Amino acid sequence: MAVDVIMPQMGESIFEGTITKWLKKPGDKVERDEPLFEISTDKVDAEIPAPAAGVLKEIKINEGQTVPIQTVVAVIDAAGSAAAAPAPAKPAAPPKQEAPAPVAAKPAAPARTPEPAAPKSAPAAAPAQTSAPVSRPSAAPPPPPSAEPENGKRIHSSPLVRRLARESNIDLTQLSGTGAGGRISKKDIQAAIASGAGRSSAGTAAPPVRPSAPPPPSTGAAAVQGAIESAVPRERIYFGQYEVQPMSVMRQKIAEHMVASKRVSPHVYSVDEADMSVVSAARAKYKGEFETRYGAKLTFMPFFMRACVEALRAFPSVNSSVDGTNMVLHREINLGIAVSLDNGLIVPVVRNAEEKNFLGLQRAVNDLAERARTKKLKPEEVQEGTFAITNPGVYGGLMGLPVISQPNVAILGVGAIQKRVVVIDDAIAIRPMVYLTLSYDHRVVDGATAHQFMGKLKSVLEEWNEPLI
């Protein structure tokens, strides 16, 4: 019996995924729930298990290809017949977008990521859709172009697509979706941006953007390559001897997110330093007993997490997001912890950190970091963070000025803990010190609030009194 392997939906707002690696090849035996292939989405990288035991009969979607959810990507012969394993099947008709192929050393024309053809302009009368009405923010004019067309029919698209359309001034009623059921995907928006089609201007398409103008916001590899092309002539990039390595899907997502964050949030930075004498002494005294009793390694991270919780309680505007002209003050404190991976960076979230004791914080961050490195995270575990912490100090970095992880309004950078000469009560002393940097969104956080936040953070660390055991 043939069992179809489908592209799963890895989250409520995720409608497509990219196959980054096949862990089996046609003819290989597979066990039920054994990792079969790896995917990358807007939210998380993950290993997808086999839905049944048997023999992998056919691979329909190659590595690097992006397809909508519910697409059949492979077929398993559940009967487990090992007779004459079929030759690798030819790939199905190309999906909407393929990953860029490695570029040969040709300076004049390096390979570019293929982009879908620009969708044809469609009349306002589109086929009736069944998606639920989209609520409009009350104070974020103009309303999303996809909220409700004048003909009263709904646009079938995701929140991400509607946001991109709003930011790029694209009228979704002028586009024909190429996704499942006529859904307008982010690739359709990308194509519309590139062609100048669907611009909101009394229902007519605006002329293409002039080359001298800043490039319109886009996503993924197109955003990265577009930024390079607009900033530096290609002849200044491809010269001499070189090797071209296409960005991984994760690297493209990071590039997209960082460019968007710098474009959206006016970044301002505050720097302070804290005396870690009390914390270092407590950790040195209890780390052996802590690991023996709880089976968890005692690191410095939960100390910084606890200090952030107290500072965020004291200054709730730092634990917020921005929606147009509204500040969204979050009652939960969900701490995103940056985790370095071999091919990029991911920020899993410790939810409701304000409800956890010290042990709970240590176990939570250990668990998330381990599963992030083994690609076992769930999409919801990298969403809904309200504040983030990144720790360049673990690699010896003295300090860093991190980019805000949207939609947060601030992120803390933790430097290396080093012994330095300081002046204490007019006497020279040697203390373990750490530089702390706060990157914050000046739309909602002012310098006074930022430095008071840092003062609270510093006082919690320097006057640590919470028991560890």
Side-chain angles (χ1 to χ4, degrees), residues 96-168:
K96 295 180 291 181
Q97 180 178 0
E98 296 185 0
V103 181
K106 185 72 175 174
R112 299 182 61 182
T113 304
E115 296 181 359
K120 294 183 283 188
S121 295
Q129 306 294 345
T130 58
S131 57
V134 180
S135 59
R136 299 187 183 126
S138 59
S146 59
E148 184 171 353
E150 293 181 358
N151 61 11
K153 296 182 179 180
R154 306 294 179 185
I155 299 298
H156 199 35
S157 61
S158 69
L160 172 63
V161 166
R162 292 193 290 273
R163 177 176 62 79
L164 292 174
R166 181 168 63 249
E167 292 176 353
S168 306

Side-chain angles (χ1 to χ4, degrees), residues 80 104 155 188 202 235 257 263 278 288 317 332 399 412 419 434:
I155 299 298
D188 296 327
E235 58 268 21
H257 192 65
R263 186 181 71 242
V278 177
S317 63
E332 298 85 7
M399 69 169 66
L412 179 73
K419 288 186 177 181
V434 63

Side-chain angles (χ1 to χ4, degrees), residues 250-270:
M250 173 173 282
R251 191 77 258 163
Q252 294 175 30
K253 301 299 182 185
I254 293 171
E256 172 190 350
H257 192 65
M258 296 298 97
V259 170
S261 183
K262 293 292 284 188
R263 186 181 71 242
V264 169
S265 296
H267 282 56
V268 183
Y269 309 96
S270 292

